[in-house]
Amino acid sequence: MRANVELDHATLVRFSPDCRAFIVWLANGDTLRVFKMTKREDGGYTFTATPEDFPKKHKAPVINIGIADTGKFIMTASSDTAILIWNLKGQVLSTINTNQMNNTHAAISPCSRFVASCGFTPDVKVWEVCFGKKGDFQEVVRAFELKGHSAAVHFFAFSNDSRRMASVSKDGTWKLWDTDVEYKKQQDPYLLRTGRFEEASTIPCRLALSPDAQVLALASGSSIYLYNTRRGEKEECFEHVHGECITDLSFDITGRLLASCGDRAVRLFHNAPGHRAVVEEMQGLLKRASNESTRQRLQQQLTQAQEALKSLGALKK
């Protein structure tokens, strides 16, 4: 399907949870436009823009947009210190000032409870977007912070269940965090692992965390590096895979593939370290498994992962 952006072009695009609509950020209009799926006369489907664009509210260039998986709110973040929380009709529910000098990245967590941002300061700040039992918006409150870097944070990401986060900083390190904490009881996130990534000290980097948080993908310039988060070791390196700097990086929902874009192509890579992590985990669980049905299930998962590695020619001797 194809959708035309009239008299403008889009710089960012995000699907709604049901994929029957998407939002775009307009380059010249400096605002959001919503496209909805509509039925054509011939029985096919197309995407059409809603009559009204969202009002202009940002005073600086927008760096990211997102729709909560619950479908309850939209987030837009600009390169100053502003993050706006909108309802789907285009009304601003809340304005967040990140106090980070400038924002380099902001995102909604997959669980839709949190909005987080990073920037010039050496931390990642996380807020909770609170709704009432009837689904009515209530407030945005500070939840917790990821503290431990010694320089500006380039980028961060959530695992699929929002219980882990990863960050990469200008201090030349990446960190993996356990964020499954009761912050209302003043519990802070736990630092699980720190790894070296020297490239981050000289140029901005992006990262993606696999859905199970076992693999961290880091992009700097036009190259991608994959790290095993259990040991913090670099396992794969894809050098100069794009003609320009990589602009986005994402694992698919199964965690088997990693997608990147940076020029006119989207490239797909096999996540071999992810399969290796499964092999390692299953071997450990098999040693401790007590009953036969559990052993069979674990053995099946182990065999699948080993076969996947074999087909990729990535089985370690």
Side-chain angles (χ1 to χ4, degrees):
M1 282 194 259
R2 179 190 176 112
N4 290 328
V5 183
E6 298 294 333
L7 309 171
D8 211 326
H9 68 273
T11 55
L12 296 160
V13 58
R14 299 286 179 265
F15 268 113
S16 65
D18 65 1
C19 293
R20 298 181 71 84
F22 62 85
I23 56 171
V24 301
W25 186 259
L26 300 175
N28 302 325
D30 275 336
T31 188
L32 279 175
R33 181 171 291 173
V34 180
F35 285 82
K36 287 186 177 172
M37 193 189 275
T38 50
K39 210 165 188 177
R40 289 201 312 252
E41 286 172 12
D42 62 6
Y45 288 92
T46 184
F47 280 101
T48 6
T50 52
E52 300 245 332
D53 292 339
F54 278 28
K56 277 191 193 184
K57 295 285 182 183
H58 283 283
K59 296 180 176 70
V62 159
I63 54 166
N64 204 14
I65 62 175
I67 305 182
D69 278 352
T70 52
K72 285 182 181 172
F73 67 93
I74 289 170
M75 173 216 75
T76 55
S78 47
S79 62
D80 47 11
T81 59
I83 296 177
L84 299 183
I85 305 297
W86 309 74
N87 67 12
L88 303 190
K89 294 189 175 83
Q91 294 158 324
V92 175
L93 300 174
S94 183
T95 303
I96 301 168
N97 178 0
T98 64
N99 290 316
Q100 287 172 315
M101 305 276 282
N102 66 319
N103 301 332
T104 51
H105 182 56
I108 304 172
S109 63
C111 68
S112 297
R113 270 181 72 191
F114 304 112
V115 165
S117 80
C118 65
F120 185 73
T121 56
D123 48 22
V124 177
K125 292 182 180 176
V126 184
W127 292 263
E128 183 174 2
V129 184
C130 305
F131 287 85
K133 286 194 169 66
K134 292 175 182 169
D136 51 316
F137 171 76
Q138 290 183 321
E139 59 177 345
V140 173
V141 292
R142 276 291 279 279
F144 52 85
E145 290 179 13
L146 305 182
K147 290 179 173 173
H149 285 294
S150 58
V153 176
H154 292 305
F155 213 82
F156 66 86
F158 291 91
S159 65
N160 205 40
D161 60 7
S162 307
R163 290 159 74 166
R164 298 282 184 272
M165 285 180 76
S167 56
V168 61
S169 161
K170 202 174 177 179
D171 64 13
T173 68
W174 60 262
K175 291 180 186 290
L176 180 73
W177 311 80
D178 178 349
T179 51
D180 189 17
V181 294
E182 294 192 49
Y183 70 86
K184 285 173 183 162
K185 295 180 181 172
Q186 270 61 57
Q187 231 185 349
D188 285 325
Y190 303 102
L191 177 62
L192 298 172
R193 177 85 57 243
T194 298
R196 294 295 306 163
F197 187 60
E198 298 297 345
E199 288 86 347
S201 53
T202 50
I203 53 171
C205 300
R206 298 182 76 87
L207 66 80
L209 192 55
S210 65
D212 60 6
Q214 297 273 17
V215 180
L216 181 68
L218 287 153
S220 75
S222 59
S223 302
I224 298 169
Y225 308 87
L226 298 187
Y227 284 79
N228 168 313
T229 58
R230 194 179 281 189
R231 289 186 301 277
E233 293 168 359
K234 179 160 71 177
E235 284 202 19
E236 301 280 346
C237 177
F238 306 114
E239 291 190 306
H240 311 303
V241 288
H242 285 279
E244 294 168 33
C245 279
I246 291 165
T247 53
D248 216 346
L249 205 57
S250 177
F251 283 94
D252 81 309
I253 197 74
T254 66
R256 289 179 194 156
L257 296 170
L258 173 71
S260 68
C261 63
D263 37 33
R264 291 184 176 194
V266 172
R267 303 197 191 281
L268 292 175
F269 302 90
H270 291 285
N271 178 15
H275 292 301
R276 284 191 208 112
V278 171
V279 168
E280 206 174 301
E281 191 181 7
M282 294 307 135
Q283 285 170 338
L285 290 170
L286 267 169
K287 285 175 189 167
R288 301 194 296 275
S290 49
N291 65 32
E292 191 52 35
S293 64
T294 308
R295 288 183 68 83
Q296 282 179 347
R297 187 171 49 82
L298 294 172
Q299 187 60 53
Q300 190 184 359
Q301 287 175 272
L302 175 61
T303 308
Q304 279 177 341
Q306 284 172 327
E307 282 173 358
L309 284 168
K310 200 172 167 185
S311 71
L312 298 175
L315 203 56
K316 283 191 172 171
K317 298 284 181 281

